């Protein structure tokens, strides 16, 4: 995939995630066909939306794709709970972040993070109360939790699967870092 296509895809996915708009809703608001978005996002074809379509979408989104050159980006490996590299993402922070793929049961709505999302973490950033942090739990693998004083609190949307996870002292858990971005992968 060329850099332009990749930049447009990243922008579209970010807009939909940040605004909560579906591809269909966004296309209708922009006065274009939903197929212009879905075909581009869901296939590896050489189809690229026209400049006119991108302009219409940008007007509704109040943003535009960034065509940053690869010199300003660095590749960050996306790891699973076992430390295996499962994907790569581009990120401009050049080695200052780590990325992880959440497992089937580990997102569960904490900070809007769902199962299978990619999480970008700043391992050296100062943790403040209310921050969403990523920890590695011996039983469940990667978990996103809230920092509350000297505790980590897991607030899953499906509490029945995690009744055994009580608030824990932050010094007793393996903190990976502060979550600074969540990336929803559409496949």
């Amino acid at each position: 995939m060329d850099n332009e296509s990749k930049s447009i895809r990243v922008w579209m996915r970010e807009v939909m995630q940040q605004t909560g708009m579906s591809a269909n809703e966004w296309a209708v608001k922009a006065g274009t066909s939903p197929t212009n978005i879905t075909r581009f996002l869901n296939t590896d074809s050489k189809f690229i939306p026209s400049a006119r379509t991108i302009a219409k979408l940008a007007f509704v989104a109040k943003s535009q794709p960034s065509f940053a050159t690869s010199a300003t980006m660095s590749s960050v490996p996306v790891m699973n709970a076992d430390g295996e590299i499962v994907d790569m993402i581009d990120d401009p922070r050049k080695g200052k972040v780590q990325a992880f793929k959440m497992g089937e049961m580990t997102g569960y709505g904490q900070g809007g993070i769902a199962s299978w999302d990619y999480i970008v973490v700043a391992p050296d950033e100062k943790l403040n109360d209310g921050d969403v942090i990523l920890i590695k739990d011996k039983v469940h693998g990667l978990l996103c939790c809230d920092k509350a004083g000297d505790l980590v609190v897991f607030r899953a949307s499906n509490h029945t699967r995690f009744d055994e996870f009580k608030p824990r002292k932050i010094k007793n858990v393996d903190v990976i870092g502060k979550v600074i971005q969540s990336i929803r992968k559409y496949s």
Side-chain angles (χ1 to χ4, degrees), residues 88-126:
M88 298 292 284
I89 60 170
D90 290 332
D91 190 273
R93 291 168 277 227
K94 297 191 192 263
K96 296 181 181 173
V97 297
Q98 294 177 316
F100 298 88
K101 182 178 182 180
M102 301 305 290
E104 180 181 1
M105 295 175 30
T106 56
Y108 275 101
Q110 182 79 23
I113 297 165
S115 299
W116 311 119
D117 283 355
Y118 287 6
I119 305 302
V120 179
V121 175
D124 298 324
E125 196 159 318
K126 181 181 181 294

Side-chain angles (χ1 to χ4, degrees), residues 58-100:
F59 180 78
V60 171
K62 297 181 178 38
S63 72
Q64 59 192 11
S66 171
F67 297 102
T69 64
S70 59
T72 63
M73 303 296 269
S74 65
S75 293
V76 177
V78 178
M79 296 176 281
N80 64 16
D82 297 324
E84 300 165 335
I85 297 173
V86 295
D87 201 352
M88 298 292 284
I89 60 170
D90 290 332
D91 190 273
R93 291 168 277 227
K94 297 191 192 263
K96 296 181 181 173
V97 297
Q98 294 177 316
F100 298 88

Side-chain angles (χ1 to χ4, degrees), residues 10 23-24 39 46 56-57 60 64 69 75-76 90 94 99 115-116 123 147 152 157 161-162 166 178:
V10 166
N24 186 55
R39 179 173 37 159
K46 298 201 181 276
K56 288 178 176 184
L57 295 169
V60 171
Q64 59 192 11
T69 64
S75 293
V76 177
D90 290 332
K94 297 191 192 263
S115 299
W116 311 119
K147 181 185 179 302
V152 292
S157 57
R161 305 233 17 210
F162 292 95
K166 305 292 183 215
K178 179 178 179 177

Side-chain angles (χ1 to χ4, degrees), residues 76-187:
V76 177
V78 178
M79 296 176 281
N80 64 16
D82 297 324
E84 300 165 335
I85 297 173
V86 295
D87 201 352
M88 298 292 284
I89 60 170
D90 290 332
D91 190 273
R93 291 168 277 227
K94 297 191 192 263
K96 296 181 181 173
V97 297
Q98 294 177 316
F100 298 88
K101 182 178 182 180
M102 301 305 290
E104 180 181 1
M105 295 175 30
T106 56
Y108 275 101
Q110 182 79 23
I113 297 165
S115 299
W116 311 119
D117 283 355
Y118 287 6
I119 305 302
V120 179
V121 175
D124 298 324
E125 196 159 318
K126 181 181 181 294
L127 302 178
N128 299 303
D129 285 353
D131 285 345
V132 176
I133 61 174
L134 185 66
I135 69 168
K136 185 165 184 181
D137 181 69
K138 291 176 184 151
V139 176
H140 300 102
L142 300 173
L143 292 174
C144 290
C145 301
D146 286 340
K147 181 185 179 302
D150 64 343
L151 299 174
V152 292
V153 181
F154 182 70
R155 295 187 179 98
S157 57
N158 184 348
H159 295 287
T160 60
R161 305 233 17 210
F162 292 95
D163 284 340
E164 73 278 8
F165 194 92
K166 305 292 183 215
R168 299 180 188 168
K169 295 271 187 193
I170 198 164
K171 66 181 181 181
N172 296 335
V173 296
D174 183 10
V175 176
I176 297 172
K178 179 178 179 177
V179 175
I180 58 173
Q181 184 178 9
S182 172
I183 302 169
R184 181 94 9 107
K185 297 294 277 188
Y186 294 94
S187 56

